[in-house]
Amino acid sequence: MNTTPGIVTRFAPSPNGHLHLGHAFSAIYAHDLAKTAGGRFLLRIEDIDGPRSRPEHADEFRRDLEWLGLEWEEVPAQSTRLESYRDAADTLLELGMAYRCSCTRKEIEALDPRTGEDGVIYPGACKGRCPTGEEPAALRLDVDKAMTELGELIWTDEQAGSVIADPREFGDVVIVRKDLPASYHLAATLDDAADEVTVVTRGSDLFAATHVHRILQELLELPLPHYHHHNLLIDDDGRKLAKRRGSPALASRRERGEDGLVLAEQLRLQQKLSGT
Ligand code: GLU
């Protein structure tokens, strides 16, 4: 494993539900990677999902991580960083690499678009033609233009090695949502740079998102971290564990009196067995 002194990793949960085993797996992975190299492990609460983001979930996350025996430094939550997202969005507009889009989901679906990593791939119907008036608009990245101008971009992943950034499976991805000051892609990319994260660790389900993040880094002149997209914990039916499917919450296991340190050791063993 490629660990260097000065390594900074992070766990960046969204407080819109409980943490489950998959989150514990991911947090322990990031924690141990940093701590065994004498580095720093950060906690960043990604709370810009409007009313779905709730502070009580973030409090619960802290109790869960403590229960698992992890030690972290908490960096400012995303809701305190909106200014930096606005500035970056303005920069992308000034560079001509982003455009406003007020199309509704229905309008886009009526064009019979392909689906990709983030759902339907925007078919470019209104590219640059949506009115610039008062109505709510999202901001989309002009992916073709960015790719043409930037040329080949590489990023490295611990398991996959050198990867050529290819964000086409996202189409002109939304970087500022109609209802929010950023999208996950823009906020996470900016914050990883601001927090000086040197190794971004997250589940392999987010592998493809890194193609988009790589483009944003280049356009916004941000440093390039190393990536570890780790294997996912799967449930007994072979499906990814997720909050939505009601996988057991860490909080309920904790409240039932289960030993979090023992659970953390079991997850470390699973990481070894799965070659993560
Ligand atoms: N807030 C994101 C999530 O909970 C974090 C993803 C990431 O680690 O980049 O899925």
Side-chain angles (χ1 to χ4, degrees), residues 10 12-14 23 44 46 184 188 192 200-202 206 213 243:
R10 53 47 163 198
S14 303
H23 291 107
R44 182 174 71 228
E46 302 212 321
Y184 156 66
D192 284 335
V200 173
T201 65
R202 55 186 168 216
L206 285 167
H213 301 185
K243 293 178 246 193

Side-chain angles (χ1 to χ4, degrees), residues 130-152:
C130 272
T132 52
E134 289 298 297
E135 73 262 51
L139 215 57
R140 289 185 181 277
L141 186 65
D142 192 333
V143 169
D144 279 342
K145 188 169 175 192
M147 300 276 287
T148 308
E149 222 154 281
L150 298 173
E152 188 172 280

